[in-house]
PDB file of all heavy atoms in Angstrom:
ATOM      1  N   VAL A 512    -140.053 -65.527  81.550  1.00 97.00           N
ATOM      2  CA  VAL A 512    -139.640 -64.113  81.546  1.00 97.00           C
ATOM      3  C   VAL A 512    -140.120 -63.476  80.237  1.00 97.00           C
ATOM      4  O   VAL A 512    -139.846 -63.994  79.160  1.00 97.00           O
ATOM      5  CB  VAL A 512    -138.098 -64.038  81.637  1.00 97.00           C
ATOM      6  CG1 VAL A 512    -137.615 -62.634  81.371  1.00 97.00           C
ATOM      7  CG2 VAL A 512    -137.611 -64.515  82.998  1.00 97.00           C
ATOM      8  N   CYS A 513    -140.827 -62.345  80.380  1.00 96.00           N
ATOM      9  CA  CYS A 513    -141.251 -61.601  79.182  1.00 96.00           C
ATOM     10  C   CYS A 513    -140.516 -60.261  79.187  1.00 96.00           C
ATOM     11  O   CYS A 513    -140.696 -59.464  80.102  1.00 96.00           O
ATOM     12  CB  CYS A 513    -142.764 -61.398  79.234  1.00 96.00           C
ATOM     13  SG  CYS A 513    -143.350 -60.292  77.972  1.00 96.00           S
ATOM     14  N   VAL A 514    -139.675 -60.044  78.192  1.00 97.00           N
ATOM     15  CA  VAL A 514    -138.814 -58.846  78.188  1.00 97.00           C
ATOM     16  C   VAL A 514    -139.329 -57.853  77.149  1.00 97.00           C
ATOM     17  O   VAL A 514    -139.573 -58.224  75.998  1.00 97.00           O
ATOM     18  CB  VAL A 514    -137.358 -59.235  77.862  1.00 97.00           C
ATOM     19  CG1 VAL A 514    -136.459 -58.018  77.898  1.00 97.00           C
ATOM     20  CG2 VAL A 514    -136.862 -60.272  78.843  1.00 97.00           C
ATOM     21  N   LEU A 515    -139.478 -56.603  77.580  1.00 96.00           N
ATOM     22  CA  LEU A 515    -139.932 -55.550  76.672  1.00 96.00           C
ATOM     23  C   LEU A 515    -138.734 -54.714  76.268  1.00 96.00           C
ATOM     24  O   LEU A 515    -138.054 -54.146  77.142  1.00 96.00           O
ATOM     25  CB  LEU A 515    -140.927 -54.627  77.369  1.00 96.00           C
ATOM     26  CG  LEU A 515    -142.316 -55.138  77.761  1.00 96.00           C
ATOM     27  CD1 LEU A 515    -142.935 -55.957  76.650  1.00 96.00           C
ATOM     28  CD2 LEU A 515    -142.313 -55.885  79.043  1.00 96.00           C
ATOM     29  N   VAL A 516    -138.487 -54.641  74.974  1.00 96.00           N
ATOM     30  CA  VAL A 516    -137.310 -53.892  74.500  1.00 96.00           C
ATOM     31  C   VAL A 516    -137.777 -52.718  73.640  1.00 96.00           C
ATOM     32  O   VAL A 516    -138.255 -52.924  72.524  1.00 96.00           O
ATOM     33  CB  VAL A 516    -136.382 -54.805  73.670  1.00 96.00           C
ATOM     34  CG1 VAL A 516    -135.150 -54.036  73.208  1.00 96.00           C
ATOM     35  CG2 VAL A 516    -135.966 -56.022  74.468  1.00 96.00           C
ATOM     36  N   PRO A 517    -137.652 -51.481  74.157  1.00 94.00           N
ATOM     37  CA  PRO A 517    -138.042 -50.334  73.330  1.00 94.00           C
ATOM     38  C   PRO A 517    -137.033 -50.101  72.202  1.00 94.00           C
ATOM     39  O   PRO A 517    -135.842 -50.411  72.351  1.00 94.00           O
ATOM     40  CB  PRO A 517    -138.011 -49.145  74.300  1.00 94.00           C
ATOM     41  CG  PRO A 517    -137.850 -49.727  75.654  1.00 94.00           C
ATOM     42  CD  PRO A 517    -137.220 -51.070  75.494  1.00 94.00           C
ATOM     43  N   GLN A 518    -137.528 -49.571  71.106  1.00 91.00           N
ATOM     44  CA  GLN A 518    -136.632 -49.220  70.005  1.00 91.00           C
ATOM     45  C   GLN A 518    -135.603 -48.210  70.513  1.00 91.00           C
ATOM     46  O   GLN A 518    -135.866 -47.479  71.455  1.00 91.00           O
ATOM     47  CB  GLN A 518    -137.431 -48.560  68.876  1.00 91.00           C
ATOM     48  CG  GLN A 518    -138.398 -49.502  68.185  1.00 91.00           C
ATOM     49  CD  GLN A 518    -137.676 -50.596  67.400  1.00 91.00           C
ATOM     50  OE1 GLN A 518    -136.810 -50.298  66.599  1.00 91.00           O
ATOM     51  NE2 GLN A 518    -138.034 -51.834  67.645  1.00 91.00           N
ATOM     52  N   GLY A 519    -134.470 -48.166  69.859  1.00 79.00           N
ATOM     53  CA  GLY A 519    -133.461 -47.172  70.229  1.00 79.00           C
ATOM     54  C   GLY A 519    -132.581 -47.662  71.349  1.00 79.00           C
ATOM     55  O   GLY A 519    -131.710 -46.958  71.830  1.00 79.00           O
ATOM     56  N   SER A 520    -132.790 -48.874  71.799  1.00 76.00           N
ATOM     57  CA  SER A 520    -131.933 -49.403  72.846  1.00 76.00           C
ATOM     58  C   SER A 520    -131.130 -50.557  72.259  1.00 76.00           C
ATOM     59  O   SER A 520    -130.459 -50.388  71.259  1.00 76.00           O
ATOM     60  CB  SER A 520    -132.804 -49.820  74.032  1.00 76.00           C
ATOM     61  OG  SER A 520    -132.041 -50.456  74.997  1.00 76.00           O
ATOM     62  N   VAL A 521    -131.264 -51.733  72.804  1.00 91.00           N
ATOM     63  CA  VAL A 521    -130.366 -52.829  72.446  1.00 91.00           C
ATOM     64  C   VAL A 521    -130.979 -53.834  71.483  1.00 91.00           C
ATOM     65  O   VAL A 521    -130.671 -55.018  71.532  1.00 91.00           O
ATOM     66  CB  VAL A 521    -129.923 -53.566  73.720  1.00 91.00           C
ATOM     67  CG1 VAL A 521    -128.868 -52.789  74.428  1.00 91.00           C
ATOM     68  CG2 VAL A 521    -131.114 -53.870  74.593  1.00 91.00           C
ATOM     69  N   VAL A 522    -131.845 -53.317  70.618  1.00 93.00           N
ATOM     70  CA  VAL A 522    -132.541 -54.198  69.682  1.00 93.00           C
ATOM     71  C   VAL A 522    -131.542 -55.053  68.907  1.00 93.00           C
ATOM     72  O   VAL A 522    -131.725 -56.263  68.744  1.00 93.00           O
ATOM     73  CB  VAL A 522    -133.397 -53.348  68.713  1.00 93.00           C
ATOM     74  CG1 VAL A 522    -134.010 -54.221  67.624  1.00 93.00           C
ATOM     75  CG2 VAL A 522    -134.484 -52.621  69.491  1.00 93.00           C
ATOM     76  N   ASN A 523    -130.452 -54.425  68.461  1.00 92.00           N
ATOM     77  CA  ASN A 523    -129.505 -55.159  67.627  1.00 92.00           C
ATOM     78  C   ASN A 523    -128.845 -56.323  68.375  1.00 92.00           C
ATOM     79  O   ASN A 523    -128.741 -57.430  67.851  1.00 92.00           O
ATOM     80  CB  ASN A 523    -128.459 -54.204  67.054  1.00 92.00           C
ATOM     81  CG  ASN A 523    -127.697 -54.884  65.945  1.00 92.00           C
ATOM     82  OD1 ASN A 523    -128.296 -55.493  65.066  1.00 92.00           O
ATOM     83  ND2 ASN A 523    -126.370 -54.850  66.029  1.00 92.00           N
ATOM     84  N   ALA A 524    -128.432 -56.040  69.610  1.00 94.00           N
ATOM     85  CA  ALA A 524    -127.773 -57.100  70.388  1.00 94.00           C
ATOM     86  C   ALA A 524    -128.729 -58.264  70.639  1.00 94.00           C
ATOM     87  O   ALA A 524    -128.324 -59.439  70.619  1.00 94.00           O
ATOM     88  CB  ALA A 524    -127.269 -56.529  71.708  1.00 94.00           C
ATOM     89  N   VAL A 525    -129.993 -57.961  70.866  1.00 96.00           N
ATOM     90  CA  VAL A 525    -130.977 -59.017  71.104  1.00 96.00           C
ATOM     91  C   VAL A 525    -131.172 -59.830  69.817  1.00 96.00           C
ATOM     92  O   VAL A 525    -131.247 -61.062  69.829  1.00 96.00           O
ATOM     93  CB  VAL A 525    -132.312 -58.410  71.601  1.00 96.00           C
ATOM     94  CG1 VAL A 525    -133.363 -59.495  71.773  1.00 96.00           C
ATOM     95  CG2 VAL A 525    -132.098 -57.664  72.908  1.00 96.00           C
ATOM     96  N   ARG A 526    -131.229 -59.108  68.706  1.00 94.00           N
ATOM     97  CA  ARG A 526    -131.378 -59.776  67.402  1.00 94.00           C
ATOM     98  C   ARG A 526    -130.224 -60.756  67.176  1.00 94.00           C
ATOM     99  O   ARG A 526    -130.425 -61.884  66.748  1.00 94.00           O
ATOM    100  CB  ARG A 526    -131.383 -58.683  66.330  1.00 94.00           C
ATOM    101  CG  ARG A 526    -131.237 -59.168  64.928  1.00 94.00           C
ATOM    102  CD  ARG A 526    -130.906 -58.017  64.000  1.00 94.00           C
ATOM    103  NE  ARG A 526    -129.483 -57.717  63.962  1.00 94.00           N
ATOM    104  CZ  ARG A 526    -128.575 -58.447  63.331  1.00 94.00           C
ATOM    105  NH1 ARG A 526    -128.955 -59.519  62.689  1.00 94.00           N
ATOM    106  NH2 ARG A 526    -127.307 -58.111  63.335  1.00 94.00           N
ATOM    107  N   VAL A 527    -129.008 -60.304  67.488  1.00 95.00           N
ATOM    108  CA  VAL A 527    -127.828 -61.157  67.290  1.00 95.00           C
ATOM    109  C   VAL A 527    -127.953 -62.416  68.148  1.00 95.00           C
ATOM    110  O   VAL A 527    -127.665 -63.518  67.703  1.00 95.00           O
ATOM    111  CB  VAL A 527    -126.529 -60.369  67.614  1.00 95.00           C
ATOM    112  CG1 VAL A 527    -125.323 -61.295  67.635  1.00 95.00           C
ATOM    113  CG2 VAL A 527    -126.332 -59.240  66.613  1.00 95.00           C
ATOM    114  N   PHE A 528    -128.421 -62.253  69.366  1.00 97.00           N
ATOM    115  CA  PHE A 528    -128.589 -63.395  70.267  1.00 97.00           C
ATOM    116  C   PHE A 528    -129.504 -64.449  69.632  1.00 97.00           C
ATOM    117  O   PHE A 528    -129.240 -65.643  69.697  1.00 97.00           O
ATOM    118  CB  PHE A 528    -129.160 -62.926  71.607  1.00 97.00           C
ATOM    119  CG  PHE A 528    -129.436 -64.038  72.576  1.00 97.00           C
ATOM    120  CD1 PHE A 528    -128.421 -64.565  73.353  1.00 97.00           C
ATOM    121  CD2 PHE A 528    -130.717 -64.587  72.696  1.00 97.00           C
ATOM    122  CE1 PHE A 528    -128.673 -65.607  74.247  1.00 97.00           C
ATOM    123  CE2 PHE A 528    -130.976 -65.624  73.583  1.00 97.00           C
ATOM    124  CZ  PHE A 528    -129.939 -66.131  74.357  1.00 97.00           C
ATOM    125  N   PHE A 529    -130.578 -63.976  69.011  1.00 97.00           N
ATOM    126  CA  PHE A 529    -131.532 -64.914  68.411  1.00 97.00           C
ATOM    127  C   PHE A 529    -131.119 -65.341  67.002  1.00 97.00           C
ATOM    128  O   PHE A 529    -131.736 -66.227  66.415  1.00 97.00           O
ATOM    129  CB  PHE A 529    -132.932 -64.286  68.368  1.00 97.00           C
ATOM    130  CG  PHE A 529    -133.645 -64.333  69.696  1.00 97.00           C
ATOM    131  CD1 PHE A 529    -133.556 -63.278  70.591  1.00 97.00           C
ATOM    132  CD2 PHE A 529    -134.394 -65.447  70.068  1.00 97.00           C
ATOM    133  CE1 PHE A 529    -134.213 -63.318  71.820  1.00 97.00           C
ATOM    134  CE2 PHE A 529    -135.053 -65.489  71.285  1.00 97.00           C
ATOM    135  CZ  PHE A 529    -134.954 -64.433  72.168  1.00 97.00           C
TER     136      PHE A 529
END
Side-chain angles (χ1 to χ4, degrees):
V512 169
C513 171
V514 182
L515 292 316
V516 181
Q518 293 293 308
S520 174
V521 282
V522 174
N523 194 48
V525 177
R526 168 194 85 75
V527 171
F528 177 82
F529 281 92

